[in-house]
Amino acid sequence: MTAATALSVRGDGGGGRAVPRHVAIIMDGNGRWAKARFLPRIAGHRQGAEAVRRTVRAAGEIGIEVLTLYAFSSENWRRPVEEVSDLMGLLRHFLKAEVAELVANGARLRVIGDLARLDADVRALIDEAIARTASGTRLTLVLALNYGAQDELVRAARALAEEARAGTLVPEAIDVEEIEARLDTAGLPPVDLLIRTSGEVRLSNFLLWQAAYAELMFVDTLWPDFDAAALAEAVTRFGARERRFGGL
């Protein structure tokens, strides 16, 4: 079942309910998925990569403009060396093998986070994938790599401070727009819907600024089991919520 079909089955296709412009997902539960099947953790990550493929395709079908996936946090370096190596291997595979499908689906790739710590060959693959998908207009896929929201805000604050010290920016001119222009997500719409899988209920240092008015949704589904129907269900639930943005 495609995402569009799933929405139609629920009576939401064309029903006037809002589709979120920007959906962000904390992809959690790969390890528990593998453990429940007596498999090594890398098996869960591999199945998680399949869920990424399904979700990207479904997002485009639903009409989501931006899909941001928390692929590797700045804290993930604390994991065992073998697991980090496996994750980087999967990232390399994705950047090599999935670009053609992104192009076919009209998706363009963007990457946020501090990329300096990534290996040079990974950075080169990222640059190549971004260039090859630059003409995509159907969906913007944002991968958060070595990303942490607090680090992002620190980097933005440092950039503002440097400009102030250089005399190109006066402190009185610093406002919401000036800060947003220096975030990794500059130019993207704010997050409308933030989903975390696996039943955990926390944001884990993900898009803290951008999700200021996001609808939060915590689902029990483990990430490797997430699919088009699960995304459609989340969008349906989003459409049923009343968003006030601090007003009445």
Side-chain angles (χ1 to χ4, degrees):
M1 181 182 292
T2 67
T5 302
L7 279 173
S8 179
V9 167
R10 289 169 175 78
D12 302 306
R17 291 185 175 181
V19 172
R21 291 184 66 194
H22 187 170
V23 175
I25 305 180
I26 300 173
M27 306 179 292
D28 196 13
N30 291 346
R32 274 167 283 175
W33 185 94
K35 184 178 180 180
R37 291 159 177 78
F38 303 100
L39 296 171
R41 288 179 63 86
I42 185 58
H45 293 312
R46 287 171 180 157
Q47 286 301 310
E50 292 296 322
V52 168
R53 183 179 296 110
R54 293 192 299 266
T55 304
V56 170
R57 188 181 302 120
E61 292 174 354
I62 289 173
I64 294 166
E65 295 179 24
V66 181
L67 175 67
T68 300
L69 302 178
Y70 207 4
F72 191 89
S73 78
S74 51
E75 289 76 33
N76 284 157
W77 296 105
R78 302 171 187 169
R79 295 188 177 189
V81 174
E82 296 81 3
E83 183 171 354
V84 171
S85 178
D86 287 338
L87 288 169
M88 289 298 146
L90 283 174
L91 174 60
R92 289 181 174 91
H93 177 77
F94 177 86
L95 292 169
K96 293 175 182 178
E98 298 301 320
V99 171
E101 180 164 350
L102 292 178
V103 172
N105 290 326
R108 70 183 181 108
L109 180 67
R110 181 164 169 176
V111 178
I112 60 174
D114 183 0
L115 305 186
R117 189 169 178 180
L118 301 179
D119 289 343
D121 70 305
V122 174
R123 297 198 301 272
L125 287 171
I126 290 171
D127 290 341
E128 181 182 355
I130 290 173
R132 288 178 60 189
T133 62
S135 61
T137 58
R138 189 184 190 193
L139 171 73
T140 298
L141 172 63
V142 183
L143 294 184
L145 297 172
N146 193 29
Y147 174 86
Q150 292 174 332
D151 173 70
E152 177 188 32
L153 290 168
V154 167
R155 287 187 281 110
R158 286 174 178 166
L160 290 166
E162 288 292 341
E163 293 177 46
R165 181 166 62 181
T168 58
L169 178 70
V170 295
E172 293 78 13
I174 298 174
D175 56 13
V176 168
E177 288 73 23
E178 290 290 344
I179 294 173
E180 288 181 343
R182 289 156 183 83
L183 297 177
D184 295 351
T185 52
L188 296 176
V191 177
D192 296 305
L193 171 62
L194 191 151
I195 303 167
R196 182 172 187 145
T197 60
S198 86
E200 299 294 342
V201 187
R202 55 181 176 271
L203 296 180
S204 294
N205 198 20
F206 184 48
L207 298 178
L208 300 180
W209 177 284
Q210 298 85 344
Y213 282 98
E215 296 295 318
L216 306 182
M217 205 167 292
F218 303 99
V219 300
D220 292 332
T221 306
L222 299 177
W223 176 248
D225 294 325
F226 200 84
D227 57 14
L231 181 62
E233 177 66 25
V235 170
T236 297
R237 290 170 57 190
F238 169 86
R241 294 186 181 182
E242 183 178 356
R243 307 183 74 199
R244 298 181 179 178
F245 300 97
L248 296 178

